[in-house]
Amino acid sequence: MAQPPFDPQLLPVDAIAGEPAVAPERLAPTWLRQRFAVHREWTPEGSERVMPDREGRPPTPASVLIALVRRATGLTVLLTQRTAHLTDHGGQISFPGGRAEDYDQDAVDTALRESEEEIGLARRHVEILGALPEYLTGTGYCVTPVVALVQPPFEVTADPSEVAAIFEVPLAFLMDGMHHQRLSVDLPSGRRSFYAMPYEGYYIWGATAGMLRNLFHFLRAE
């Protein structure tokens, strides 16, 4: 079982990242399209250290969909809570997505297929903007975060074998460094540090928070 040997919600907060929030005009579809269309230099944060039981194995290719939903009040991020029984990241908050299959055309196709399978999000509602750098998880997945705009109205239905809940968080909340907590824990394999972004009753942390941090840096870069 690839579950963390600790409860992150019981750990003390080491620090708040605290960077200024991304400017509101940068959280609009037109600006986002332009940002992804033009290459700019920026520095992503490091990925996670692979757990000892996964060391020496080649990483498993995977993709997730960072779906930015076009709501009247502003963009939101579509997230899921995984069912508790899953081997990897069970019960955790995640983007829809999963491991690549041989028949997928590319990372985008993986993200779209997995989103259809997990939450029933039809491709016709999805406008791909681009991708963030690959993110290596402690559980040995090399994840491509695919960023997209999603146009309502659309329907989602959770696959009960994988998804316990589907919810949305305002993008403006997640793109504010004052909401990015830094935590750490001492494990037999060494000290592990990670981010958390609690929102209402949901505890966003680990790889999902790490990829959101990279989206944050990407949108703030000049």
Side-chain angles (χ1 to χ4, degrees), residues 3 6 33:
Q3 297 294 339
F6 60 91
R33 291 190 188 99

Side-chain angles (χ1 to χ4, degrees), residues 23 52 55 66 75 98 190:
E55 289 179 353
I66 303 182
L75 294 175

Side-chain angles (χ1 to χ4, degrees), residues 112-153:
L112 291 173
R113 175 186 56 76
E114 283 284 343
S115 296
E116 287 178 320
E117 294 175 359
E118 288 186 359
I119 63 173
L121 178 61
R123 296 180 184 220
R124 66 180 180 275
H125 297 290
V126 181
E127 174 191 344
I128 301 297
L129 295 177
L132 297 175
E134 293 175 341
Y135 187 95
L136 183 63
T137 72
T139 48
Y141 289 90
C142 184
V143 182
T144 299
V146 177
V147 185
L149 294 170
V150 180
Q151 181 64 53

